[in-house]
């Protein structure tokens, strides 16, 4: 099961500010006007070595109190359904409100881990403002200031304890999981149905038919996988229906719980911004990736059409361009089994371990002939030793004298050398530099 922390609460209590602090960016729009957060925002965070997803449940619209109350109730229900931890944010300056009590009533009925976060406690002498919130009956209170970060450490210490005890979902976890992801109506369900030879998933021309992630075992032609058909991931601004928010969460969870993501793109529309976002979401989660250009039969072609299409794709997904690309037509059953072959190959490459002696014998002479650029204050950088970590995904550590001075351009050079000599096509790899 993936680790998800959902941030809920009435408007203008500082949810987006807390979200930005947890994911260490300014992705959410932060204004003092209530109802600014119209999207549901998703990001990654980590604390004490535990990585987890953060959902900022916005989506509020201007209107009457009844409208706010109804929207908040829906958001909390979705958080209860999908998240393992719920940060219920209230305003320590304004105090307890009837809308806070309404949210608390819903949360008390759940069996989820609730963290009652009293925000806007910017000074130690303001902690007295928190006592009235004990009446909500949700246990311990976490006084924080999401604007300056005070108190968030204590909150996250307890949040990751919950994730530490989470168990994986019981969905044949020993089998490789191949998730079919992409925008709505690119042919994900049609491809899965064709591979399975039945109409297990609903297929219609209407975008967004698949509302849930569907796990199905595929055992044929020497393959044994769990195929995961996911709801389409739309651009955040287009997730108007609450049920689509629910589907997007399920898709994100399917990506996080997969081994390989088959990212499907509509050949007629070409690669669009949302396709690139989905690709980078899979990359960020360190998943193997296969790019499938579907509906290729509908494209007018000449000799170099697929080469130009490939070049355009690689230019837009750079710098990670070492990925397999296959052009398919589910309707014509063209190259659909090639997709599984590529997914299997990527899965195997993702697991490969390179002996330390071979790594050093290969890379140290290359590094000696192409040394790193000089560091700060004119100091020379020297890499002494290289090893691959015993992790589920390829991660390499370069021990050197000045790790903080290593430039991004040289990181890319080293990654390119690894890819040139070992086959990591379709597999994101991580490079770390440590003091010897």
């Amino acid at each position: 099961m993936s680790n998800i922390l959902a941030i809920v609460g009435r408007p203008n209590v500082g949810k987006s500010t807390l979200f930005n602090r947890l994911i260490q960016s300014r992705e959410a729009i932060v204004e003092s006007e209530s109802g600014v957060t119209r999207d549901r925002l998703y990001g990654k965070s980590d604390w004490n070595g535990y990585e987890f997803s953060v959902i900022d449940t916005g989506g509020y619209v201007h209107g009457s109190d009844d409208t706010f109350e109804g929207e908040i109730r829906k958001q909390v229900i979705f958080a209860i359904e999908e998240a393992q931890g719920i940060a219920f944010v209230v305003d320590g300056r304004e105090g307890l409100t009837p809308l806070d009590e309404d949210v608390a009533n819903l949360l008390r009925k759940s069996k989820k881990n609730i963290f009652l976060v009293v925000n806007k406690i910017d000074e130690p002498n303001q902690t007295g403002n928190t006592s009235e919130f004990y009446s909500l009956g949700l246990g311990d209170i976490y006084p924080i200031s999401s604007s300056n970060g005070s108190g968030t450490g204590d909150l996250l210490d307890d949040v990751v304890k919950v994730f530490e005890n989470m168990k994986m979902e019981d969905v044949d976890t020993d089998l490789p999981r191949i998730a079919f992801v992409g925008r709505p109506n690119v042919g994900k369900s049609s491809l899965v149905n064709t591979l399975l030879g039945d109409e297990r998933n609903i297929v219609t021309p209407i975008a967004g038919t698949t509302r849930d992630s569907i796990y199905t075992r595929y055992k044929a032609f020497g393959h044994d996988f769990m195929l995961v058909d996911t709801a389409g991931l739309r651009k955040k601004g287009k997730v108007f229906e609450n049920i689509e928010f629910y589907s997007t969460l399920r898709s994100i969870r399917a990506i996080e719980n997969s081994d390989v993501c088959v990212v499907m793109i509509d050949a007629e529309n070409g690669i669009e911004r949302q396709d690139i976002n989905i690709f980078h979401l899979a990359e960020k989660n360190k998943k193997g990736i296969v790019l499938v250009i579907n509906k290729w039969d509908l494209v007018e072609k000449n000799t170099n059409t697929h080469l130009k299409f490939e070049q355009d794709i690689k230019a837009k997904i750079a710098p990670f361009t070492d990925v397999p690309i296959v052009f398919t037509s589910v309707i014509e059953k063209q190259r659909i089994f090639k997709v599984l072959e590529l997914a299997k190959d990527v899965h195997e490459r993702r697991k490969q371990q390179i002996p330390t002696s071979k790594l050093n014998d290969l890379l140290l002479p290359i590094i000696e002939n192409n040394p790193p650029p000089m560091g700060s204050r004119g100091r020379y950088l020297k890499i002494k030793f290289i090893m691959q970590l015993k992790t589920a995904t390829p991660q390499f550590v370069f021990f050197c004298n000045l790790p903080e001075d290593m430039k991004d351009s040289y990181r890319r050079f080293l990654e390119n050398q690894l890819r040139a000599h070992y086959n990591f096509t379709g597999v994101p790899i991580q490079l770390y530099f440590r003091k010897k």
Side-chain angles (χ1 to χ4, degrees):
M1 181 178 289
S2 60
N3 295 328
I4 297 177
L5 176 70
I7 302 174
V8 304
R10 62 183 176 83
N12 208 27
V13 293
K15 297 189 301 298
S16 294
T17 306
L18 176 60
F19 173 81
N20 286 339
R21 179 162 292 279
L22 294 184
I23 68 168
Q24 297 182 342
S25 83
R26 296 186 59 83
E27 182 176 338
I29 301 168
V30 180
E31 295 288 350
S32 60
E33 183 181 359
S34 65
V36 169
T37 305
R38 296 179 182 274
D39 300 337
R40 286 81 171 181
L41 296 174
Y42 163 85
K44 300 290 289 187
S45 183
D46 64 84
W47 185 256
N48 290 345
Y50 288 93
E51 190 175 74
F52 57 96
S53 303
V54 186
I55 304 291
D56 180 13
T57 55
Y60 306 128
V61 295
H62 292 286
S64 66
D65 289 341
D66 290 340
T67 301
F68 278 126
E69 197 170 325
E71 286 298 313
I72 292 170
R73 185 179 292 109
K74 291 173 186 175
Q75 296 295 325
V76 174
I77 289 170
F78 291 136
I80 290 171
E81 287 283 338
E82 291 301 309
Q84 285 72 56
I86 300 172
F88 173 28
V89 184
V90 294
D91 189 328
R93 291 180 195 162
E94 291 189 15
L96 187 61
T97 71
L99 211 48
D100 295 325
E101 293 175 344
D102 186 40
V103 176
N105 288 335
L106 287 171
L107 293 175
R108 273 197 298 270
K109 297 173 186 176
S110 75
K111 295 181 180 179
K112 295 298 174 75
N113 298 280
I114 312 299
F115 303 91
L116 179 53
V117 180
V118 183
N119 192 25
K120 304 183 185 179
I121 306 299
D122 301 322
E123 302 291 340
N125 59 11
Q126 296 175 328
T127 53
N129 298 350
T130 66
S131 57
E132 64 177 316
F133 292 101
Y134 281 106
S135 65
L136 294 175
L138 293 174
D140 292 338
I141 285 175
Y142 298 86
I144 72 161
S145 170
S146 53
S147 60
N148 66 34
S150 66
T152 53
D154 292 336
L155 168 65
L156 290 174
D157 283 343
D158 287 347
V159 166
V160 297
K161 287 177 186 176
V162 172
F163 295 151
E164 183 179 352
N165 296 322
M166 296 301 299
K167 295 181 179 179
M168 290 294 292
E169 289 178 341
D170 186 20
V171 188
D172 286 315
T173 53
D174 291 336
L175 293 176
R177 297 186 185 186
I178 313 299
F180 292 77
V181 298
R183 289 181 290 114
N185 208 32
V186 294
K188 299 183 297 295
S189 295
S190 297
L191 177 54
V192 172
N193 284 343
T194 305
L195 292 170
L196 295 172
D198 62 25
E199 294 294 319
R200 189 170 304 228
N201 303 332
I202 300 169
V203 179
T204 72
I206 302 169
T209 302
T210 304
R211 297 295 193 184
D212 210 345
S213 298
I214 303 169
Y215 289 78
T216 311
R217 187 169 182 175
Y218 178 88
K219 192 173 183 180
F221 305 107
H223 299 304
D224 196 2
F225 300 135
M226 291 301 296
L227 303 184
V228 189
D229 180 22
T230 63
L233 286 169
R234 289 184 181 229
K235 189 184 293 185
K236 284 181 298 214
K238 292 186 177 178
V239 185
F240 292 125
E241 300 177 50
N242 289 306
I243 195 167
E244 284 204 27
F245 172 51
Y246 185 86
S247 298
T248 302
L249 273 179
R250 284 290 175 93
S251 298
I252 291 167
R253 288 179 62 186
I255 290 173
E256 292 179 336
N257 289 332
S258 69
D259 298 299
V260 178
C261 290
V262 174
V263 181
M264 298 187 65
I265 296 169
D266 189 321
E268 283 191 296
N269 297 330
I271 186 166
E272 298 182 351
R273 184 176 182 82
Q274 186 63 0
D275 299 314
I276 298 169
N277 290 340
I278 295 167
F279 175 87
H280 288 310
L281 180 61
E283 179 192 6
K284 185 188 299 182
N285 281 280
K286 307 179 185 70
K287 305 305 178 184
I289 301 175
V290 176
L291 281 176
V292 174
I293 316 303
N294 193 34
K295 306 182 184 179
W296 192 240
D297 55 307
L298 303 179
V299 175
E300 291 186 16
K301 294 176 279 290
N302 57 41
T303 307
N304 296 318
T305 303
H306 77 284
L307 293 175
K308 291 179 180 177
F309 207 102
E310 225 174 272
Q311 290 170 357
D312 181 49
I313 288 174
K314 290 186 176 183
K316 291 180 178 177
I317 63 174
F320 179 37
T321 60
D322 186 18
V323 292
I325 301 174
V326 58
F327 297 83
T328 66
S329 167
V330 175
I331 298 296
E332 302 291 335
K333 296 188 178 180
Q334 293 176 350
R335 291 174 289 278
I336 59 172
F337 291 101
K338 182 70 173 176
V339 174
L340 287 186
E341 292 290 343
L342 291 171
K344 179 182 179 182
D345 292 344
V346 168
H347 180 255
E348 292 300 319
R349 289 193 286 268
R350 190 167 175 260
K351 296 188 299 181
Q352 70 173 315
Q353 286 282 330
I354 303 168
T356 301
S357 58
K358 288 188 176 180
L359 266 179
N360 286 273
D361 290 346
L362 171 74
L363 290 178
L364 287 180
I366 294 174
I367 291 169
E368 187 175 347
N369 292 327
N370 302 273
M374 195 172 289
S376 59
R377 296 192 296 275
R379 297 182 295 179
Y380 288 98
L381 276 73
K382 294 182 180 179
I383 295 174
K384 303 290 187 180
F385 185 71
I386 308 144
M387 65 178 292
Q388 183 177 358
L389 298 176
K390 301 292 185 182
T391 49
T393 60
Q395 300 180 32
F396 299 88
V397 179
F398 292 76
F399 293 95
C400 56
N401 60 335
L402 301 168
E404 67 279 2
D405 285 351
M406 195 63 65
K407 292 181 168 54
D408 287 340
S409 58
Y410 199 74
R411 289 171 182 262
R412 288 193 293 272
F413 168 76
L414 293 174
E415 179 176 341
N416 289 338
Q417 292 303 314
L418 280 167
R419 291 188 180 278
H421 292 89
Y422 300 102
N423 190 352
F424 283 109
T425 299
V427 182
I429 61 178
Q430 280 73 48
L431 272 58
Y432 302 101
F433 296 86
R434 297 287 183 265
K435 187 86 172 176
K436 180 162 173 57

